């Protein structure tokens, strides 16, 4: 049982660091891990994923992501929870 648990944790880690995921998928995955209460197993991976999102997607978002208000709200909440300085100004998010 312990070995199976370790394998599943490794699989989750791989999914968190996968670079080819869409923004909405990765944010939903991080949110699900946190809601399940197992995020303490993946603190460094979640931090790295959110750091990457903050550096790439937050300032360089595309128009497709801007049309999904749920994804934007989830992005803002997750980044704020991690302590990133996130503006809620309308000029940054054209869909709001």
């Amino acid at each position: 049982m312990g070995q199976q648990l370790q394998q599943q944790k490794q699989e989750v880690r791989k999914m968190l660091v996968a670079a080819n995921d869409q923004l909405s998928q990765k944010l939903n995955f991080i949110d699900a891990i946190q809601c399940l209460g197992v995020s303490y197993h993946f603190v460094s991976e979640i931090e790295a994923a959110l750091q990457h999102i903050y550096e790439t997607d937050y300032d360089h978002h595309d128009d497709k992501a801007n049309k999904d208000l749920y994804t934007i709200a989830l992005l803002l909440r997750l980044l704020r929870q991690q302590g990133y300085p996130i503006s809620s100004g309308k000029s940054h998010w054209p869909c709001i």
Side-chain angles (χ1 to χ4, degrees):
M1 177 114 164
Q3 185 177 11
Q4 184 181 8
L5 177 63
Q6 293 302 321
Q7 288 175 341
Q8 289 177 342
K9 286 167 70 174
Q10 278 303 106
E11 188 173 325
V12 170
R13 282 187 177 93
K14 287 179 187 176
M15 293 170 74
L16 277 170
V17 298
N20 59 353
D21 284 346
Q22 291 182 354
L23 177 63
S24 61
Q25 289 177 331
K26 187 163 292 239
L27 292 174
N28 282 314
F29 189 60
I30 292 170
D31 187 45
I33 290 171
Q34 290 178 344
C35 287
L36 289 170
V38 295
S39 61
Y40 64 93
H41 289 289
F42 312 104
V43 172
S44 62
E45 290 85 0
I46 290 173
E47 176 60 36
L50 291 176
Q51 178 70 32
H52 177 74
I53 289 169
Y54 179 73
E55 291 173 351
T56 59
D57 294 315
Y58 176 67
D59 285 331
H60 307 291
H61 46 64
D62 60 11
D63 289 334
K64 290 179 185 175
N66 285 336
K67 296 188 191 262
D68 184 3
L69 187 58
Y70 174 78
T71 301
I72 292 172
L74 185 57
L75 171 67
L76 295 176
R77 181 177 61 80
L78 290 174
L79 289 176
R80 285 180 180 148
Q81 283 177 340
Q82 288 297 119
Y84 289 96
I86 304 299
S87 170
S88 59
K90 290 184 178 182
S91 63
H92 191 76
W93 302 103
C95 73
I96 298 176

